[in-house]
Amino acid sequence: LGLRCIGYELLCESTATQGQRTVKAHGLGSWVSLRCGDAAEAKGLEDAAVVWINDAAWDPSPRNQLLKRLATQLRPGAAVISFSYAGGWPGSLKEALPMVETVSIPVSWNRATVATLHNRAPHTIREERDMQSGHSEL
């Protein structure tokens, strides 16, 4: 498809390292980069077209931290895919990252897990006001 993929993983010695070996073994280094680190602190989010968050087991605090960054830094129209929606996101995040669709997909831990697709909304009236005043309350 011609899209580069950058992945972040907190489990450096197991998941990230093994993933890096697999990428190298299959010559995918120009397309895939797996980094040991916290996705909530990732740089370059404004350039992402799709952000897939494997957040089924995340606590709400780090999930909301990343979602707040995505809501303010992604360009309008960028897609966010999450396993955690279930109507539980704070209101401002629902406004900035409205749900477009739900899909049932098989994953390693369940044959039919619901994932939600969200699109970064165009600037909302609230964001326009906040940008004019110089602060954001997402």
PDB file of all heavy atoms in Angstrom, residues 77-99:
ATOM      1  N   GLY A  77      -9.469  14.356   9.545  1.00  0.00           N
ATOM      2  CA  GLY A  77      -9.656  13.250   8.613  1.00  0.00           C
ATOM      3  C   GLY A  77      -8.812  12.034   8.931  1.00  0.00           C
ATOM      4  O   GLY A  77      -9.070  10.954   8.416  1.00  0.00           O
ATOM      5  N   ALA A  78      -7.796  12.179   9.779  1.00  0.00           N
ATOM      6  CA  ALA A  78      -6.976  11.025  10.162  1.00  0.00           C
ATOM      7  C   ALA A  78      -7.850  10.027  10.918  1.00  0.00           C
ATOM      8  O   ALA A  78      -8.808  10.400  11.586  1.00  0.00           O
ATOM      9  CB  ALA A  78      -5.797  11.467  11.022  1.00  0.00           C
ATOM     10  N   ALA A  79      -7.525   8.746  10.798  1.00  0.00           N
ATOM     11  CA  ALA A  79      -8.316   7.689  11.424  1.00  0.00           C
ATOM     12  C   ALA A  79      -7.655   7.193  12.705  1.00  0.00           C
ATOM     13  O   ALA A  79      -6.431   7.099  12.785  1.00  0.00           O
ATOM     14  CB  ALA A  79      -8.494   6.525  10.458  1.00  0.00           C
ATOM     15  N   VAL A  80      -8.486   6.866  13.693  1.00  0.00           N
ATOM     16  CA  VAL A  80      -8.042   6.248  14.939  1.00  0.00           C
ATOM     17  C   VAL A  80      -8.864   4.987  15.120  1.00  0.00           C
ATOM     18  O   VAL A  80     -10.089   5.018  15.018  1.00  0.00           O
ATOM     19  CB  VAL A  80      -8.244   7.184  16.154  1.00  0.00           C
ATOM     20  CG1 VAL A  80      -7.891   6.474  17.449  1.00  0.00           C
ATOM     21  CG2 VAL A  80      -7.420   8.454  15.991  1.00  0.00           C
ATOM     22  N   ILE A  81      -8.185   3.868  15.371  1.00  0.00           N
ATOM     23  CA  ILE A  81      -8.853   2.596  15.613  1.00  0.00           C
ATOM     24  C   ILE A  81      -8.533   2.193  17.041  1.00  0.00           C
ATOM     25  O   ILE A  81      -7.380   2.244  17.467  1.00  0.00           O
ATOM     26  CB  ILE A  81      -8.380   1.519  14.621  1.00  0.00           C
ATOM     27  CG1 ILE A  81      -8.652   1.978  13.194  1.00  0.00           C
ATOM     28  CG2 ILE A  81      -9.072   0.173  14.920  1.00  0.00           C
ATOM     29  CD1 ILE A  81      -7.919   1.196  12.134  1.00  0.00           C
ATOM     30  N   SER A  82      -9.571   1.804  17.796  1.00  0.00           N
ATOM     31  CA  SER A  82      -9.409   1.494  19.215  1.00  0.00           C
ATOM     32  C   SER A  82     -10.254   0.289  19.579  1.00  0.00           C
ATOM     33  O   SER A  82     -11.303   0.049  18.990  1.00  0.00           O
ATOM     34  CB  SER A  82      -9.846   2.707  20.046  1.00  0.00           C
ATOM     35  OG  SER A  82      -9.907   2.385  21.418  1.00  0.00           O
ATOM     36  N   PHE A  83      -9.805  -0.440  20.589  1.00  0.00           N
ATOM     37  CA  PHE A  83     -10.577  -1.550  21.141  1.00  0.00           C
ATOM     38  C   PHE A  83     -11.342  -1.129  22.398  1.00  0.00           C
ATOM     39  O   PHE A  83     -12.024  -1.931  23.001  1.00  0.00           O
ATOM     40  CB  PHE A  83      -9.660  -2.716  21.517  1.00  0.00           C
ATOM     41  CG  PHE A  83      -9.069  -3.411  20.337  1.00  0.00           C
ATOM     42  CD1 PHE A  83      -7.707  -3.342  20.090  1.00  0.00           C
ATOM     43  CD2 PHE A  83      -9.859  -4.152  19.470  1.00  0.00           C
ATOM     44  CE1 PHE A  83      -7.153  -3.997  18.999  1.00  0.00           C
ATOM     45  CE2 PHE A  83      -9.316  -4.811  18.383  1.00  0.00           C
ATOM     46  CZ  PHE A  83      -7.955  -4.729  18.153  1.00  0.00           C
ATOM     47  N   SER A  84     -11.223   0.111  22.821  1.00  0.00           N
ATOM     48  CA  SER A  84     -11.679   0.484  24.160  1.00  0.00           C
ATOM     49  C   SER A  84     -12.897   1.378  24.220  1.00  0.00           C
ATOM     50  O   SER A  84     -13.318   1.735  25.301  1.00  0.00           O
ATOM     51  CB  SER A  84     -10.551   1.207  24.882  1.00  0.00           C
ATOM     52  OG  SER A  84     -10.360   2.482  24.291  1.00  0.00           O
ATOM     53  N   TYR A  85     -13.455   1.771  23.115  1.00  0.00           N
ATOM     54  CA  TYR A  85     -14.449   2.845  23.118  1.00  0.00           C
ATOM     55  C   TYR A  85     -15.610   2.583  24.069  1.00  0.00           C
ATOM     56  O   TYR A  85     -15.711   3.215  25.100  1.00  0.00           O
ATOM     57  CB  TYR A  85     -14.960   3.099  21.705  1.00  0.00           C
ATOM     58  CG  TYR A  85     -15.927   4.252  21.631  1.00  0.00           C
ATOM     59  CD1 TYR A  85     -15.486   5.542  21.837  1.00  0.00           C
ATOM     60  CD2 TYR A  85     -17.267   4.042  21.384  1.00  0.00           C
ATOM     61  CE1 TYR A  85     -16.352   6.606  21.781  1.00  0.00           C
ATOM     62  CE2 TYR A  85     -18.146   5.100  21.320  1.00  0.00           C
ATOM     63  CZ  TYR A  85     -17.684   6.375  21.517  1.00  0.00           C
ATOM     64  OH  TYR A  85     -18.555   7.420  21.458  1.00  0.00           O
ATOM     65  N   ALA A  86     -16.485   1.690  23.724  1.00  0.00           N
ATOM     66  CA  ALA A  86     -17.623   1.294  24.574  1.00  0.00           C
ATOM     67  C   ALA A  86     -18.327   2.489  25.208  1.00  0.00           C
ATOM     68  O   ALA A  86     -18.836   2.402  26.311  1.00  0.00           O
ATOM     69  CB  ALA A  86     -17.153   0.319  25.656  1.00  0.00           C
ATOM     70  N   GLY A  87     -18.331   3.625  24.543  1.00  0.00           N
ATOM     71  CA  GLY A  87     -19.022   4.806  25.047  1.00  0.00           C
ATOM     72  C   GLY A  87     -18.350   5.464  26.228  1.00  0.00           C
ATOM     73  O   GLY A  87     -18.884   6.402  26.805  1.00  0.00           O
ATOM     74  N   GLY A  88     -17.145   5.015  26.586  1.00  0.00           N
ATOM     75  CA  GLY A  88     -16.516   5.491  27.801  1.00  0.00           C
ATOM     76  C   GLY A  88     -15.545   6.637  27.661  1.00  0.00           C
ATOM     77  O   GLY A  88     -14.932   7.031  28.634  1.00  0.00           O
ATOM     78  N   TRP A  89     -15.381   7.191  26.483  1.00  0.00           N
ATOM     79  CA  TRP A  89     -14.455   8.312  26.340  1.00  0.00           C
ATOM     80  C   TRP A  89     -15.104   9.577  26.866  1.00  0.00           C
ATOM     81  O   TRP A  89     -16.315   9.769  26.739  1.00  0.00           O
ATOM     82  CB  TRP A  89     -14.076   8.512  24.886  1.00  0.00           C
ATOM     83  CG  TRP A  89     -13.231   7.452  24.283  1.00  0.00           C
ATOM     84  CD1 TRP A  89     -12.828   6.276  24.857  1.00  0.00           C
ATOM     85  CD2 TRP A  89     -12.691   7.452  22.969  1.00  0.00           C
ATOM     86  NE1 TRP A  89     -12.071   5.567  23.973  1.00  0.00           N
ATOM     87  CE2 TRP A  89     -11.968   6.256  22.804  1.00  0.00           C
ATOM     88  CE3 TRP A  89     -12.740   8.338  21.914  1.00  0.00           C
ATOM     89  CZ2 TRP A  89     -11.298   5.935  21.626  1.00  0.00           C
ATOM     90  CZ3 TRP A  89     -12.086   8.021  20.743  1.00  0.00           C
ATOM     91  CH2 TRP A  89     -11.358   6.835  20.605  1.00  0.00           C
ATOM     92  N   PRO A  90     -14.312  10.479  27.442  1.00  0.00           N
ATOM     93  CA  PRO A  90     -14.864  11.768  27.885  1.00  0.00           C
ATOM     94  C   PRO A  90     -15.487  12.524  26.713  1.00  0.00           C
ATOM     95  O   PRO A  90     -15.091  12.353  25.551  1.00  0.00           O
ATOM     96  CB  PRO A  90     -13.631  12.512  28.413  1.00  0.00           C
ATOM     97  CG  PRO A  90     -12.650  11.448  28.742  1.00  0.00           C
ATOM     98  CD  PRO A  90     -12.909  10.338  27.759  1.00  0.00           C
ATOM     99  N   GLY A  91     -16.465  13.382  27.005  1.00  0.00           N
ATOM    100  CA  GLY A  91     -17.228  14.097  25.984  1.00  0.00           C
ATOM    101  C   GLY A  91     -16.395  14.857  24.971  1.00  0.00           C
ATOM    102  O   GLY A  91     -16.675  14.832  23.776  1.00  0.00           O
ATOM    103  N   SER A  92     -15.347  15.562  25.431  1.00  0.00           N
ATOM    104  CA  SER A  92     -14.545  16.350  24.496  1.00  0.00           C
ATOM    105  C   SER A  92     -13.820  15.455  23.499  1.00  0.00           C
ATOM    106  O   SER A  92     -13.599  15.844  22.352  1.00  0.00           O
ATOM    107  CB  SER A  92     -13.548  17.227  25.247  1.00  0.00           C
ATOM    108  OG  SER A  92     -12.695  16.436  26.050  1.00  0.00           O
ATOM    109  N   LEU A  93     -13.444  14.234  23.915  1.00  0.00           N
ATOM    110  CA  LEU A  93     -12.786  13.309  22.999  1.00  0.00           C
ATOM    111  C   LEU A  93     -13.781  12.752  22.000  1.00  0.00           C
ATOM    112  O   LEU A  93     -13.461  12.547  20.832  1.00  0.00           O
ATOM    113  CB  LEU A  93     -12.105  12.176  23.764  1.00  0.00           C
ATOM    114  CG  LEU A  93     -10.902  12.589  24.600  1.00  0.00           C
ATOM    115  CD1 LEU A  93     -10.409  11.423  25.440  1.00  0.00           C
ATOM    116  CD2 LEU A  93      -9.792  13.129  23.724  1.00  0.00           C
ATOM    117  N   LYS A  94     -15.004  12.500  22.438  1.00  0.00           N
ATOM    118  CA  LYS A  94     -16.050  12.025  21.522  1.00  0.00           C
ATOM    119  C   LYS A  94     -16.321  13.059  20.438  1.00  0.00           C
ATOM    120  O   LYS A  94     -16.635  12.715  19.312  1.00  0.00           O
ATOM    121  CB  LYS A  94     -17.339  11.721  22.283  1.00  0.00           C
ATOM    122  CG  LYS A  94     -17.258  10.511  23.171  1.00  0.00           C
ATOM    123  CD  LYS A  94     -18.582  10.321  23.902  1.00  0.00           C
ATOM    124  CE  LYS A  94     -18.480   9.266  24.952  1.00  0.00           C
ATOM    125  NZ  LYS A  94     -19.730   9.133  25.715  1.00  0.00           N
ATOM    126  N   GLU A  95     -16.208  14.338  20.795  1.00  0.00           N
ATOM    127  CA  GLU A  95     -16.445  15.410  19.836  1.00  0.00           C
ATOM    128  C   GLU A  95     -15.288  15.529  18.841  1.00  0.00           C
ATOM    129  O   GLU A  95     -15.496  15.674  17.650  1.00  0.00           O
ATOM    130  CB  GLU A  95     -16.625  16.729  20.585  1.00  0.00           C
ATOM    131  CG  GLU A  95     -16.962  17.908  19.700  1.00  0.00           C
ATOM    132  CD  GLU A  95     -17.130  19.191  20.495  1.00  0.00           C
ATOM    133  OE1 GLU A  95     -17.443  19.127  21.693  1.00  0.00           O
ATOM    134  OE2 GLU A  95     -16.938  20.258  19.892  1.00  0.00           O
ATOM    135  N   ALA A  96     -14.057  15.465  19.339  1.00  0.00           N
ATOM    136  CA  ALA A  96     -12.875  15.641  18.487  1.00  0.00           C
ATOM    137  C   ALA A  96     -12.548  14.393  17.674  1.00  0.00           C
ATOM    138  O   ALA A  96     -11.959  14.486  16.604  1.00  0.00           O
ATOM    139  CB  ALA A  96     -11.673  16.036  19.334  1.00  0.00           C
ATOM    140  N   LEU A  97     -12.906  13.206  18.213  1.00  0.00           N
ATOM    141  CA  LEU A  97     -12.638  11.937  17.537  1.00  0.00           C
ATOM    142  C   LEU A  97     -13.946  11.143  17.436  1.00  0.00           C
ATOM    143  O   LEU A  97     -14.110  10.097  18.062  1.00  0.00           O
ATOM    144  CB  LEU A  97     -11.595  11.123  18.313  1.00  0.00           C
ATOM    145  CG  LEU A  97     -10.211  11.723  18.451  1.00  0.00           C
ATOM    146  CD1 LEU A  97      -9.382  10.966  19.482  1.00  0.00           C
ATOM    147  CD2 LEU A  97      -9.499  11.743  17.105  1.00  0.00           C
ATOM    148  N   PRO A  98     -14.909  11.641  16.653  1.00  0.00           N
ATOM    149  CA  PRO A  98     -16.201  10.963  16.595  1.00  0.00           C
ATOM    150  C   PRO A  98     -16.093   9.557  16.002  1.00  0.00           C
ATOM    151  O   PRO A  98     -15.313   9.314  15.081  1.00  0.00           O
ATOM    152  CB  PRO A  98     -17.053  11.869  15.711  1.00  0.00           C
ATOM    153  CG  PRO A  98     -16.074  12.673  14.921  1.00  0.00           C
ATOM    154  CD  PRO A  98     -14.841  12.797  15.777  1.00  0.00           C
ATOM    155  N   MET A  99     -16.895   8.656  16.562  1.00  0.00           N
ATOM    156  CA  MET A  99     -16.918   7.282  16.065  1.00  0.00           C
ATOM    157  C   MET A  99     -17.639   7.251  14.721  1.00  0.00           C
ATOM    158  O   MET A  99     -18.705   7.814  14.565  1.00  0.00           O
ATOM    159  CB  MET A  99     -17.597   6.353  17.055  1.00  0.00           C
ATOM    160  CG  MET A  99     -17.551   4.903  16.606  1.00  0.00           C
ATOM    161  SD  MET A  99     -18.142   3.728  17.835  1.00  0.00           S
ATOM    162  CE  MET A  99     -19.745   4.351  18.221  1.00  0.00           C
TER     163      MET A  99
END
